[in-house]
Every structure is written in structure tokens, then in C-alpha cells.
Amino acid sequence: MTSPSGGESTRRRPVAVPVAALVVATGLGVTAAFGGLAEAPKEPPKQLGPGATVDQGEFTTTFVESRTAFQPDEYGGEGKRFLEVVMKVTNKGEKTTTVGSPWSGTQRGLLFGAGLLKVTPELKTPYGPLTTVAAEGVPSQQLHPGVPSTVVIKYQLTDGQRAPQQVKLDVGTFEFNEGFSHELGWVLVSEDPKGPPTVAAQVTLPVQRKEGV
């Protein structure tokens, strides 16, 4: 077709747009209108009870029970009352480590204990929780590779303080981290490097009460 001046027509044919592209563009427009791309929902912690086993990466931990206990005073005093959490722990690493201590409020835990992020209700003790390994009746602090060990966390109950009906433990996991220039070892898993450790499971244990405690 020629123009009235005798040259070729400069009219351009419309360019076809693929349907898929229109769908994507429309979807982005709608998403932008409602505040941008939505984040995938975080997986909630597993809800577990007595006898549950949690793979903590560096450790395999079975939560056996929670109970009250009494320690007589060898000098004839009133003695001490405790709430205890009993676990079976196997060190899956290649090196012996120690039990360390669980988190206490905002105070960060250490070693194996660092994987126990929180206890609810909060149990305030005079000197913080005590963590030991029961080895043939002799308390120890060591967790040897591949050896199942009974670990007991003891929270001293102050005068007039009663043990709760149950306790809920927030449990974290560990991953092996290798640095660019050196080995960092086992560290707590956290979805946000600048945030708190991720709660992988919550274990609720009824408290078995010893008579008089």
C-alpha cells in the first residue's frame, strides 16, 4: 500500500504480546498493589511430649521426664528442693564435649545446654540451672561420642516456690559450620543470622511430684 505522496505506508502492524507475559505482568501488578511479594510462612515448631526424640544435629536427645527431687542437708538443715528434667543424650560428633548449661532468661546457654533455648514457666533459681551427666551414680560433665548418657538439668526451688504442673522446653538444633579460613564447628541454627536461634521443637513434660516436694 502506498501513501498519497506515492511512498510506502509508515503505519506499523500491532505487535502480538504472549498471553503468559500478560498473565505475569498482571499478577505482578496485583501483588504490588497489595504490598509486594508475600513471604512463605515459617514452619511452626513440632509439638512433642514425654519420650519424644529430637535430632539436634550434633546430638540425639530423648526427653524422658520432669520430676521434683529433694536433697537432704548433710549438716541437718532443711535441705534443697529441685525440679529436674531428665534426658537421654547421644553425642553424634567426633569429639568429647561437655553438657554446658541451658539458656537462663536472656543469658545464652553453652555447649549441649545451648540447644535448650527456653523453659516455660520461667524457673528463677539462685545460681541458675545445674546440668550434669549421671554416670554410675557419679555426676560428670562429659558427653563422649556415640555413648548414650543420662543428662539431668536441675532447677532449685526457692522457699515457698512450688513446682509447676508441667514444663515446656523450646529446643534448638545445631549445624556444622566451616569458615572460609578455619573450622567454626557446631553452631545453633538460626533463620536470621542476626536473630535468635530457631525453635525446632517444643516438648511439654508433666511434672511428676515426689511426696513432700
Side-chain angles (χ1 to χ4, degrees):
M1 178 178 180
T2 59
S3 64
S5 60
E8 293 185 357
S9 173
T10 57
R11 184 180 301 171
R12 297 180 179 177
R13 297 180 179 178
V15 179
V17 178
V19 174
L22 288 174
V23 172
V24 171
T26 302
L28 290 174
V30 171
T31 302
F34 285 91
L37 296 173
E39 295 183 358
K42 297 180 180 179
E43 183 177 350
K46 297 178 181 178
Q47 301 298 313
L48 305 173
T53 298
V54 179
D55 183 354
Q56 292 187 268
E58 185 179 7
F59 308 97
T60 298
T61 304
T62 299
F63 294 84
V64 179
E65 64 176 351
S66 178
R67 66 197 183 194
T68 59
F70 178 74
Q71 178 181 316
D73 189 328
E74 60 182 359
Y75 301 105
E78 295 183 354
K80 297 178 181 178
R81 299 176 304 118
F82 295 91
L83 183 143
E84 299 180 341
V85 177
V86 182
M87 298 162 288
K88 287 285 188 180
V89 180
T90 301
N91 175 6
K92 297 195 296 179
E94 298 179 353
K95 299 179 180 178
T96 295
T97 185
T98 56
V99 288
S101 58
W103 289 62
S104 181
T106 58
Q107 184 176 352
R108 188 180 181 89
L110 297 172
L111 302 168
F112 162 76
L116 303 177
L117 308 175
K118 182 181 178 182
V119 59
T120 305
E122 183 179 2
L123 300 171
K124 296 182 179 180
T125 63
Y127 307 105
L130 304 174
T131 310
T132 59
V133 177
E136 297 183 359
V138 180
S140 171
Q141 292 290 315
Q142 295 184 325
L143 294 170
H144 299 291
V147 180
S149 302
T150 299
V151 174
V152 181
I153 303 176
K154 302 174 68 172
Y155 296 87
Q156 183 177 344
L157 300 173
T158 57
D159 293 341
Q161 183 182 10
R162 287 184 56 81
Q165 296 292 328
Q166 64 181 27
V167 291
K168 180 169 69 174
L169 304 170
D170 288 9
V171 183
T173 57
F174 299 85
E175 63 183 356
F176 196 81
N177 187 16
E178 294 184 359
F180 293 105
S181 58
H182 62 282
E183 183 179 288
L184 296 181
W186 292 96
V187 295
L188 282 168
V189 173
S190 177
E191 295 178 0
D192 180 357
K194 297 182 179 179
T198 300
V199 179
Q202 292 180 315
V203 183
T204 300
L205 301 174
V207 177
Q208 300 181 22
R209 295 178 180 273
K210 184 177 181 179
E211 185 177 356
V213 181

